[in-house]
Amino acid sequence: MSFIGPAPAPEDLRDVSYLLTDIDDTLTTEGRLLPETYQALWDLEKAGIAVVTVTGGSAGWCEHIVRAWPVAAAIGESGAFVMTARHNRVEVEYWEDEALQSERQRQHLASVSPLLGGRFHLAHDQHFRLADVAVDIVGYPRAEVDALATEIRALGGTVAISSVHINTWIGDYNKRTMSERLLRRWGLGDEELARQVSFAGDSRNDAPMFAFLNKTFGVANILPVLDDLPTKPRWISADIAGRGFVDIAKALLAARG
């Protein structure tokens, strides 16, 4: 359990009861969920720390996660919806309205597709998305990714860039807004948000979460984009991706004694 620079003290984390976390390259390592990372999720649940995944990932992915993983909820498509499961029945709460968000997605997809020009491609799971448009960016030069993002913004789309996708949508929401709505509904006020909630992430699209919460972590692969973040994570694990998440979980569990 090691960190780059300052490490969290037990008193910093003792009251944490909620861990919100990104998935791609925070929980996953080279696209896979390592056994030790999955075990860390179970260990957190057993200790009474509720995990909420907050991802740009698709509804199809989130539906599986909220059913099969030890998580309290799954926020997907950058805040478009939150899923919870009760007795194997998944409930979906949209940011606004299912039909409205679906129609916006249809129109936005039609506008974005011509910009790809055969150079970029829609994410393989676009058919399993309910509200956003995702473009694969793995292996593309950053300058090209940022140029495409600028073109999409010119169409009026909101854009978030992760380690694997450009996620874009029409709507006034993001990872933070849906996270805050969920936590407020669970009864957390300002003082509880500051004391009881933590977040782990790895990429530029996690910037709203780093600005929202006080007890924030980055995994080591966040270092290349650290200067892009207006608010940086408070602590950074020495290891990358899912192994870095394991160290974050160990720190939270150790603080609980």
Side-chain angles (χ1 to χ4, degrees), residues 81-123:
F81 55 80
V82 57
M83 292 185 180
T84 53
R86 183 187 299 272
H87 305 304
N88 206 38
R89 178 182 176 86
V90 174
E91 298 179 356
V92 184
E93 176 188 338
Y94 290 84
W95 176 253
E96 292 176 274
D97 172 79
E98 178 180 6
L100 173 64
Q101 291 179 235
S102 177
E103 177 59 20
R104 285 175 175 169
Q105 180 201 41
R106 186 190 65 78
Q107 294 180 9
H108 196 44
L109 178 59
S111 298
V112 169
S113 293
L115 301 179
L116 306 185
R119 171 65 173 152
F120 287 90
H121 302 280
L122 294 173

Side-chain angles (χ1 to χ4, degrees), residues 55-63 76-77 81 83 125 128-129 132:
T55 178
S58 68
W61 196 10
C62 291
E63 197 271 349
E77 297 181 28
F81 55 80
M83 292 185 180
D125 63 352
F128 302 103
R129 293 177 176 272
D132 80 343

